[in-house]
Amino acid sequence: MSSSVLSGKIEFIQYHKPGLVSGDYTITVTQTVTGSKIQGSNSTFQDTKSFSVAGPRFDLPPQDIYEMFPPPGNHGDHSNVLPHIILNRSTLPWERDIQSTRGNQPWLALLVFHQSDIEQGRVSEPKIIKLSELIEDSSQSGSWFPDFKLEIAQRESDKVTVIDVQKSLLNVILPSFEDLPYLAHVRQRKELSVDIDESYLAQLNECKEGSTQAAEDIFKEEFAAFKEEIKQGGIRLFGACSIACRQNGTKKEWVITDAENGKQYVAREDSVQQKKVLNVFTNDAEVAIVIANRLPQRGGLTTVHLVSLENRFIDKIDEPKKVFDYREKDLVRFVSLKSWSFSCTDPDRNFKQILLHLNQDTLRLPEAKNDYLNQGYVALNYYLRKGGKTIAWYHSPLRPCKTTDRLYSLKKTDSPPEKKGWHIKSEMNQTHYYWGDRTQNTLYQVTPFFGANLRVSDQLLCIDQKSGLFETTYAAAWQLGRLLALQDQHFSVALTQWKRNHVQQFHQRRQAIADPHLQLFNNLPSLNAPSEVNTWFDKLNQLQGVPFNYLVPDARMLPEESIRFFQVDPLWIDCLLDGAFSLGRCTETDQLQDFYHIIASNRYPITSGLLLRSEAVSGWAGLLVDGYYKLSKDIESELKMQDQEIRASALPNLKQNLHRIGIPLPDKLRIQQTDGIETWTLTDLDTSPDYVETIVGDANNPQLCMMMPDRDRQYNYTIINNKDKEYYLKLPLLRMERLANDVLLCLFQGDIHRVDIHLKPETLHFGLKKLKEDFSKDLKNKDGSEAKTNDQTQSPSVNLDHKNWKVSPDSPSLPGTRSLNVKNLVTEIEGKLNLTLNTLTSDQFALQMIEGSDLVRFTVEEEKAVKS
């Protein structure tokens, strides 16, 4: 079967147990040798070794926590949401046992405390003690904590955070032993997922669980066919590969590691339309999620503690099931691994409402009243070289308007090119610069914007004739690039050494041409700079390392709770790159020699993006921002050329659309439609590691785009068709980074016409539907779609009545009725969906409890952001 591709798929997994749980181990090896010639008839040899599997026990490293929900310190209305915590290591909830026999119960649980619990003393404030004190407390009167032994990596002086909880409250809020398996699961996000023929499963099954083998040994002569088939879906394997087999929950899977770039992919048996396939996907994110069983209280503070349940459940003679060990104590002590608080007071402080109330504009000073301010300029203090002080204009590379000026602009000429690439002609005491494209038999004359010999930043200073002020923007950008290059000693040495070697090779070749008998130096000079130089310039293309005050020169341009859209000034980037590349440029000869190099060229000549300063950035770690460009409708017929290798020349309309926004269409590609949905994926089938130089932009504004070889990046483009029959290209996201706790920068390759802000699938929360006096839950099918009753007239739902809530037998009046009886709820869901009793697993329960995340869309039109 032909491969099919799916993007952005999320999969729920019941659990992910490690090979060994955390703890101390002793392994003993005994060998007995027998034989008639051996003295004593037999001899026994024995050796004992000890080792420890060190995992979190009394504290949790911050890097293991991905996100908490509701966000810490948030004031939105989350009274119908079950709090949860996302852990970066998918095996973490199952790395320890809560009983002697190993089951599916996690050793971690979330306890939710309302403000009244804290005020009335039913739970203590967290306190930090030593492990030695915790050991003493376990054997003395007071709060109860089970006996335990320190492991090899633990010391009595280690600090631990503990809380004490009254038994009467625990009877209400503590999950039962039967509830626990449903309160933890794993989610795996597949950014790119390819379904291929099941025949490869036979070879993969030769790799046994826990072993690692070379891919060539497993697939043998079929490895080339395997690589080609997944390449059609956008996944490329470049070097030698190893394959490791592992068990993930109830599923067997194989991890494929590319030795050249270290990228990992996962292969697993799957089913599509009742047909078995092999699913290969990018191993982007696999996280574990622990869910609470209690709803927050509206109108007050709610505190959540992630606690350890290690060795807390025991067997009782008069109980057919395991129960929590209280030891007849009124207070029970827990180790708190993480805690956070939030309030359910303001319904307008949820994710959606925060984004809808953002101050929206382009990046400029508020109430700009002249042409300069409208273009993003600000007036800043400027110190002259002789000590004088004045005012000068400056604008950020992030501009409110689109500009097309380049440091070296191109103009098409009629003469055919003499050769491909840069070259120089001198005539009548004038120097002309050209760039030739022999593939298109086209020659472009290159016109320097500031002049041909840029060796100091002062050459880029301009005077505004109206105000008489200096325009310092491009001089500042050029000088900043030079300073950033000098600051990085490793880069500056590598760049200077490469330029020196390149000049030597260039002169050696000229000498060989002048003197043909010297054939020792007839190699062409290489344009391939060291990888560290290429990587450094690529990061600088994305403004990495540029100080924030260069991006936002005035704080008033980015106020609190605001979103600002911008276009990146390509001339600013050109000057920044040329300044960095100018190391060692002292003479005119140096300048002419630098002209032949393309590694410092702007790799993304058309770039746009946004700056978001908001509580949504600090409160939600799983924030996603997607940018889209509106395509013309004349590409519709070309999108139907599916499931075959296509040359770019056969897609003139699509090529023109992409080139207009600075995205070169690959020479060979494949178009695939995603499972009949109005979504198409364009997969780049070119695998050449060489530089790709091409002309992009409009015919009246040609721009040189240089693409560097990047084997870590998958060149796949997605086109979607919305209900209005409008085609949108999902723009490549070049950079998404938090510049501060509440400031997010996003850069996209191309012009953004639409921006969608939403949460990652792994951060979707769990909640109930509010009724007048109680709650209900609408149910779903296994694929996440809305379930229907037998007559297909309505969706089945569960109304949460008294049997779904926990009530304290000791204190019926205790306000703990917001704690779910999870096992009873699971049984009722199974009945509504006509499932066999006790067949609903934790991943399926999570799917039923999931609540879709809100998506806020902004439409960017004519330098304004319009909310929809």
Side-chain angles (χ1 to χ4, degrees), residues 257-316:
T257 304
D258 191 335
E260 179 165 325
N261 54 25
K263 289 185 71 68
Q264 288 189 332
Y265 308 92
V266 178
R268 184 192 300 156
E269 181 182 330
D270 204 348
S271 178
V272 176
Q273 298 178 350
Q274 299 182 344
K275 186 171 183 179
K276 189 185 295 185
V277 297
L278 178 64
N279 179 226
V280 184
F281 55 92
T282 50
N283 193 17
D284 293 305
E286 189 174 271
V287 295
I289 300 178
V290 180
I291 315 168
N293 67 331
R294 192 186 192 193
L295 297 176
Q297 184 70 50
R298 176 179 286 183
L301 184 71
T302 297
T303 302
V304 185
H305 286 269
L306 179 68
V307 299
S308 167
L309 298 181
E310 185 183 15
N311 300 323
R312 304 308 292 251
F313 286 86
I314 60 172
D315 290 308
K316 278 198 172 182

Side-chain angles (χ1 to χ4, degrees), residues 223-372:
F223 186 51
F226 173 79
K227 291 199 298 183
E228 181 62 29
E229 192 158 353
I230 64 173
K231 189 187 82 171
Q232 296 293 318
I235 294 179
R236 300 179 187 171
L237 298 176
F238 294 101
C241 298
S242 61
I243 299 180
C245 181
R246 70 183 185 187
Q247 196 73 21
N248 194 344
T250 58
K251 297 183 178 181
K252 186 178 181 181
E253 61 186 25
W254 297 269
V255 180
I256 305 172
T257 304
D258 191 335
E260 179 165 325
N261 54 25
K263 289 185 71 68
Q264 288 189 332
Y265 308 92
V266 178
R268 184 192 300 156
E269 181 182 330
D270 204 348
S271 178
V272 176
Q273 298 178 350
Q274 299 182 344
K275 186 171 183 179
K276 189 185 295 185
V277 297
L278 178 64
N279 179 226
V280 184
F281 55 92
T282 50
N283 193 17
D284 293 305
E286 189 174 271
V287 295
I289 300 178
V290 180
I291 315 168
N293 67 331
R294 192 186 192 193
L295 297 176
Q297 184 70 50
R298 176 179 286 183
L301 184 71
T302 297
T303 302
V304 185
H305 286 269
L306 179 68
V307 299
S308 167
L309 298 181
E310 185 183 15
N311 300 323
R312 304 308 292 251
F313 286 86
I314 60 172
D315 290 308
K316 278 198 172 182
I317 299 177
D318 56 344
E319 292 280 353
K321 55 188 179 182
K322 294 183 180 293
V323 296
F324 189 81
D325 185 9
Y326 290 102
R327 290 294 175 94
E328 305 302 328
K329 299 289 184 179
D330 291 331
L331 285 179
V332 179
R333 175 158 291 181
F334 289 92
V335 172
S336 176
L337 302 169
K338 180 66 180 178
S339 65
W340 76 97
S341 299
F342 55 90
S343 299
C344 298
T345 55
D346 188 354
D348 290 336
R349 300 313 297 167
N350 58 40
F351 178 76
K352 177 181 178 181
Q353 294 300 324
I354 289 174
L355 292 178
L356 288 177
H357 288 87
L358 288 175
N359 180 323
Q360 305 161 48
D361 203 347
T362 49
L363 195 64
R364 69 183 94 196
L365 285 174
E367 300 180 359
K369 296 181 180 179
N370 62 43
D371 292 340
Y372 263 77

Side-chain angles (χ1 to χ4, degrees), residues 23-239:
D24 297 333
Y25 292 84
T26 300
I27 182 171
T28 301
V29 178
T30 302
Q31 182 181 23
T32 302
V33 181
T34 60
S36 58
K37 296 183 179 181
I38 299 177
Q39 186 177 4
S41 297
N42 64 74
S43 297
T44 301
F45 305 90
Q46 182 174 300
D47 193 14
T48 300
K49 297 292 183 181
S50 297
F51 66 93
S52 179
V53 178
R57 190 182 188 187
F58 299 112
D59 61 349
L60 197 61
Q63 61 268 23
D64 283 345
I65 299 175
Y66 180 80
E67 189 182 43
M68 294 90 73
F69 189 87
N74 192 265
H75 298 281
D77 185 6
H78 303 291
S79 57
N80 66 323
V81 171
L82 294 174
H84 69 266
I85 188 169
I86 304 177
L87 306 171
N88 282 317
R89 195 161 73 247
S90 61
T91 59
L92 188 54
W94 299 275
E95 289 180 3
R96 292 187 178 274
D97 289 334
I98 64 171
Q99 56 172 337
S100 57
T101 57
R102 192 176 180 189
N104 298 338
Q105 286 78 7
W107 69 284
L108 299 173
L110 288 177
L111 299 184
V112 178
F113 301 102
H114 298 157
Q115 187 170 346
S116 58
D117 299 330
I118 300 173
E119 292 174 347
Q120 297 176 22
R122 290 192 288 269
V123 58
S124 70
E125 293 289 341
K127 63 178 179 179
I128 300 176
I129 62 174
K130 296 180 180 179
L131 281 180
S132 58
E133 300 176 52
L134 191 62
I135 296 173
E136 294 172 1
D137 287 345
S138 66
S139 59
Q140 298 177 0
S141 60
S143 57
W144 164 249
F145 192 86
D147 295 331
F148 67 95
K149 291 183 179 181
L150 294 180
E151 297 172 359
I152 294 177
Q154 297 155 6
R155 301 290 181 268
E156 291 188 355
S157 59
D158 292 345
K159 300 296 180 64
V160 59
T161 302
V162 297
I163 56 172
D164 295 327
V165 187
Q166 288 185 0
K167 177 182 177 181
S168 57
L169 178 60
L170 278 181
N171 283 332
V172 175
I173 69 173
L174 185 70
S176 68
F177 189 81
E178 291 73 25
D179 290 349
L180 284 173
Y182 299 101
L183 297 178
H185 68 282
V186 174
R187 289 190 210 169
Q188 193 167 50
R189 177 164 55 89
K190 304 176 180 180
E191 189 63 32
L192 188 64
S193 178
V194 183
D195 291 332
I196 61 175
D197 197 285
E198 65 167 324
S199 60
Y200 297 105
L201 281 169
Q203 290 95 328
L204 287 173
N205 278 316
E206 296 297 321
C207 183
K208 304 302 181 182
E209 183 177 350
S211 66
T212 301
Q213 295 178 243
E216 289 80 358
D217 295 339
I218 296 176
F219 287 106
K220 298 182 172 51
E221 64 274 3
E222 293 188 27
F223 186 51
F226 173 79
K227 291 199 298 183
E228 181 62 29
E229 192 158 353
I230 64 173
K231 189 187 82 171
Q232 296 293 318
I235 294 179
R236 300 179 187 171
L237 298 176
F238 294 101

Side-chain angles (χ1 to χ4, degrees), residues 416-479:
E418 297 177 355
K419 57 183 178 179
K420 182 180 179 181
W422 300 100
H423 56 280
I424 303 172
K425 275 187 178 180
S426 296
E427 54 184 24
M428 297 295 293
N429 299 323
Q430 290 185 335
T431 301
H432 300 285
Y433 302 84
Y434 295 91
W435 188 83
D437 184 355
R438 286 191 300 180
T439 60
Q440 301 295 330
N441 199 34
T442 307
L443 185 68
Y444 294 91
Q445 183 172 353
V446 182
T447 304
F449 190 86
F450 292 101
N453 304 311
L454 293 180
R455 295 196 293 275
V456 294
S457 60
D458 284 358
Q459 292 177 267
L460 287 81
L461 287 174
C462 302
I463 294 289
D464 175 31
Q465 298 298 328
K466 293 183 179 180
S467 63
L469 300 179
F470 279 110
E471 208 279 44
T472 62
T473 299
Y474 301 110
W478 194 90
Q479 186 66 21

Side-chain angles (χ1 to χ4, degrees), residues 710-727:
D710 186 351
R711 293 190 171 187
D712 290 333
R713 183 177 299 149
Q714 301 293 338
Y715 295 100
N716 299 287
Y717 304 106
T718 301
I719 295 176
I720 63 173
N721 185 2
N722 63 10
K723 296 179 181 179
D724 299 327
K725 296 296 181 182
E726 294 178 335
Y727 293 91

Side-chain angles (χ1 to χ4, degrees), residues 2 65 292 298 319 383 522 585 686 787:
S2 61
I65 299 175
R298 176 179 286 183
E319 292 280 353
Y383 295 91
N522 59 355
R585 185 188 301 168
D686 289 336

